[in-house]
Amino acid sequence: MSLIVQKFGGTSVATSEKIKNVANAIIKEKNNGNDVVVVVSAMGHTTDNLIKLSKEITSSPCAREMDMLLATGEQVSMSLLAMALIDMGYNAVSLTGYQAGIKTQKNHMCARIIDIDTTRINKHILNNEIVIVAGFQGICEGNEITTLGRGGSDTTAVALACALNAQRCDIYSDVEGVYTTDPRIVKTAQKLKTISYDEMLELARVGANVLHPRCVESAKQNKMPMRVRSSFKLDDMGTLIIGVDEMELNKPVTGAAVDNSQIRIVICDIVDEPGNAAKLFNLLSSSDLSVDMIIQSYARHSKNTNDIAFTISKSDYPKFDALKGKITELLKADGIFIDDDIAKVSIVGAGMIDRPGIAAKMFDTLAKENINIKMISTSEIKISCLVEKKYCNSALVALCKAFELDGADVAQVKGDLPDVD
Ligand code: ASP
Ligand code: MG
């Protein structure tokens, strides 16, 4: 008998009706002859509401108490779901992170899972019980409750699937799968049949808000197949996330995304000598500022200075603002230029490795739309361009057309995959 881990997000368990619907999805999997371990998020906006409540009490809540508070959200949904299953005639038991043996590091509110003792879960499975585990939480040294960071239930699900040697980890939400691009902007965006872990990670980083990147990272390390599927369309198998070696890469580009949440900063006329970039980025990292694209301009001999441009998240701007004086002083820079009229458009595809001309085609496509590129960055399987914000949607539409992301039949699967129910 094989084991499937199913994870249901907040929208899937938002009301008692929806919890009963989730119970049906679990029973369907159970009736297929599989053992099932379920991970749940908190109902609807519960976590947001709990955070709001804490802010009404204090502007700087203690992290330990925040974890005590936030961990309650998942306990509500897990117990209601177990009750629904028991009411439908099935054996079910709900477990907190602690009871499920999920051990984490000590850092409250962003703890990482370090180990899962599966003894208790396995005992319940042997007893033919459906095990419902509270997502997003664990226990650290000293028996303190921890949480894994926002969206962390996805990570709980993948970690459990790996520890239990599951056949697959299914992530259910209100979206039907992973799309080639944002269907709100490109109406003809296509649902992908498959996507590789690396592509999913890149897409998650460039703004596609489907999965918690950490869970994809650990699925990749453990070669755990994942499905992103809808809890409202149970017959639809959604999108399968697998290793790139299991995919037929017949298209160079798999997906495209746009991110409006960054600003560009240019530090002008930094003297071209060893150590200046290190000084700048050490300073930024000491304030916990993470930087995305970085470009250093060519130093002309006449001036012997460089400009260094980079992007950061808009929400981090106050941290940067506090460092401005120090940066100018430390680097003897001539000025700092801030540009918030930017959007980052990216194309992602494992098939672009060893295929020349993809970057040229991207730039050509933007040129034909008369869109100026302000900054470019690349990885092995991604190309990102910064453009003026007003062009972000038209850039995305044009790129989807150019790279055939708005047509049917986007990806093919090679051979047999462990996905057929
Ligand atoms: N309930 C938590 C959150 O809203 C964890 C999750 O949903 O994955 O962030
Ligand atoms: Mg979530």
Side-chain angles (χ1 to χ4, degrees), residues 30-45:
K30 187 82 185 151
N31 290 346
N32 283 339
N34 293 311
D35 285 324
V36 188
V37 170
V38 179
V39 173
V40 282
S41 285
M43 293 172 74
H45 296 292

Side-chain angles (χ1 to χ4, degrees), residues 41-42 47 74 136 150-154:
S41 285
T47 311
E74 273 70 12
F136 172 60
R150 296 305 307 270
S153 299
D154 291 347

Side-chain angles (χ1 to χ4, degrees), residues 400-420:
C400 286
K401 206 171 185 63
F403 290 101
E404 298 169 48
L405 300 176
D406 55 358
D409 193 25
V410 184
Q412 295 287 320
V413 185
K414 233 197 255 175
D416 284 341
L417 289 164
D419 61 341
V420 198

Side-chain angles (χ1 to χ4, degrees), residues 35 119-129 131:
D35 285 324
T119 319
R120 174 143 185 206
I121 295 184
N122 278 324
K123 209 174 76 200
H124 289 295
I125 294 173
L126 274 176
N127 244 350
N128 198 29
E129 286 166 294
V131 186

Side-chain angles (χ1 to χ4, degrees), residues 1-71:
M1 202 184 262
S2 43
L3 173 75
I4 305 282
V5 171
Q6 298 181 305
K7 181 256 167 177
F8 295 92
T11 48
S12 301
V13 292
T15 62
S16 48
E17 264 327 295
K18 288 183 176 167
I19 288 178
K20 289 181 195 169
N21 172 58
V22 161
N24 283 321
I26 298 167
I27 290 169
K28 184 168 186 273
E29 201 62 78
K30 187 82 185 151
N31 290 346
N32 283 339
N34 293 311
D35 285 324
V36 188
V37 170
V38 179
V39 173
V40 282
S41 285
M43 293 172 74
H45 296 292
T46 302
T47 311
D48 291 333
N49 293 339
L50 291 172
I51 292 172
K52 220 163 89 202
L53 208 53
S54 72
K55 295 230 166 97
E56 285 170 23
I57 301 283
T58 162
S59 59
S60 53
C62 154
R64 177 194 184 270
E65 299 308 329
M66 274 311 276
D67 275 351
M68 293 298 279
L69 178 69
L70 298 188

